[in-house]
Amino acid sequence: MNVLEQLARTPRAAIEFSNILLTTKDAPIGQTPKDVVWSHRTTTLYRYRSSQRTHPVPVLLVFALINRPDIFDLTPGRSFVEFLLGEGFDVFLLDWGVPGDEDSDMGVDSYVCDALPWGIRETLRASGEEEVSLLGWCIGGTFCAMYGALEPEGPARNMVLLTTTVDTSVSNYLPWVGRDSFDVEAVTDAYPSVPGRLIDRMNKTMKPLNNFFVTYRQLFAGTLDGTAKREAYQPMAKWVANNPPFAGRVYREWITWMYKENRLVKGTLRLRDRRVDLRRIEQNLCVVTAGSDHITKRPETLPILDLVASEDVTHLDRPGGHIGLMAGSKAKDGIWPDIADWLRERSER
Amino acid sequence: MADNERRTPIDQVKALYEDAETRTAEAVETLVRREGFGELLARVTENAMAMTQLAQGALDMTVRSLRVAGSQDIVRLGRQLNRTEDKLEMVLQEVERLQDELAAQRADVAALGGLFERSERSDGSSSQGLGKGSPSSSARRTGSASRQGGSSARGGSRQGSAGRGGSGSGSAGRRAANGGSSASGSSKSS
């Protein structure tokens, strides 16, 4: 394409580019049919419809508090949920919902000691089974690990932890939120539920040029040469832009306990007067790390492998980023079958 | 070399630009991970939060002085609703536990009734004896059923001990052990 052609195409590309950005919010995501099984406050337990459940032990998906769990079920063909259903699993999703200011009293214990066990309980009731596989991603994985440490003989048989923060001593976030001068109380005093936008901006600032400029520059270049894929860009962009607030108390506890004091890996974390000791985890454990993850770097997750008491421990390390690992174009032929294989071997009665 | 010759000036400029962009991105990432940037961010955040709090306080006072419910009032109402929902959840868990216990007892009684009928058919005198003894044996069975229930719900109880509602969680294990009708689950969802 010569310069004149490029100039001639620019107005059209600009219109196409702005149209892609402006209609991103209309992109359909999370379309796999599901039913509400249980709800409490902002938390909802869903069960995905399936006519081919062949493995008795159900899989309960637990996502982070940042962004929405739609990433498990982005679009048809790019849906981990759809994949698991196709593999014969009974799939449940624990959706933390969108907390408001009135939910600012929800702390880490509310999620780990109430919502998660209650969600598991309802999963067991709905499926008629006695055991469950937990699949936690990011903070959801940390919550699952905490739960596993508190309830080593509980109904969780298998745990899959995806890009999960355990040891923050090497985290990229440490210089920001781990320092004494970062006053987490000031944030939660100003915002009883910390706006998701604020957290999203902070996350994006970790790779500022890429997140605030290069993504859009590449999209524009794609529209200019006709290679931009609207159906690939929009669902992911919509998911990235959907940032629910972080309930104030859990934000304060997460930053203080995990980043300022690094309590989980030190074994000093206590929830409702019970010590969360990772050495008590006995479940079959699969830990997944991503090579290019800058949000939860590999060394932040790996200490769990040496701490747990589980006899069955698997570590899967794959190329990709924090989200791209599971939602990227290579996930379907890469990490998804690996996780399904691991679960399949451990999901029979 | 041959590649370079085939590349147009535009391609070369593009390649140069992309290289510069990649290097700049790396440099900026290194910059934002520095302690100094972290300190700056902490100060800016603190200032922004203080200003936000002042602005929100002033706005809320203005709204409330107009005798309109401010955000604080709405949050207070929301919290009351949350507390009510927490209590309702506890009650629901207790009801489910009692339902499961009742179902287990009924199953025991039915099994005992079947046993009683069979013995009556085979021997009238022995059935009379069994009939006399049935209340106490029923009680024993019930007791053992509760114990069984307790043990089958061990997982649930353990869950419950974390979830403040040992009794409620116990129902999960028991329900699962009993074959796991999802009727009450669906009624709740409705």
Side-chain angles (χ1 to χ4, degrees), chain A residues 104 117 121 125 153 217, chain B residues 21 79 96 158-159 184:
Chain A
S104 61
R121 166 179 152 269
R125 288 177 69 86
E153 291 167 13
R217 206 261 307 150
Chain B
E21 191 180 73
R79 283 195 181 133
E96 282 168 3
R158 281 193 296 273
Q159 260 176 270
S184 78

Side-chain angles (χ1 to χ4, degrees), chain B residues 64-84:
Chain B
R64 291 174 88 183
S65 68
L66 296 171
R67 298 289 181 268
V68 179
S71 68
Q72 285 181 26
D73 305 298
I74 293 163
V75 166
R76 199 178 307 126
L77 275 173
R79 283 195 181 133
Q80 280 173 11
L81 281 172
N82 282 343
R83 276 200 295 276
T84 311

Side-chain angles (χ1 to χ4, degrees), chain A residues 120-132:
Chain A
I120 291 173
R121 166 179 152 269
E122 294 298 331
T123 301
L124 297 176
R125 288 177 69 86
S127 63
E129 292 298 325
E130 292 180 41
E131 291 181 299
V132 64

Side-chain angles (χ1 to χ4, degrees), chain B residues 6-16:
Chain B
R6 257 182 265 128
R7 287 165 71 183
T8 64
I10 290 179
D11 289 338
Q12 285 177 1
V13 170
K14 262 188 189 171
L16 273 173

Side-chain angles (χ1 to χ4, degrees), chain B residues 115-138:
Chain B
L115 192 70
F116 178 72
E117 275 174 24
R118 276 201 300 278
S119 353
E120 200 173 39
R121 258 184 262 123
S122 63
D123 185 354
S125 62
S126 69
S127 72
Q128 215 173 16
L130 191 66
K132 271 183 194 169
S134 59
S136 61
S137 77
S138 164

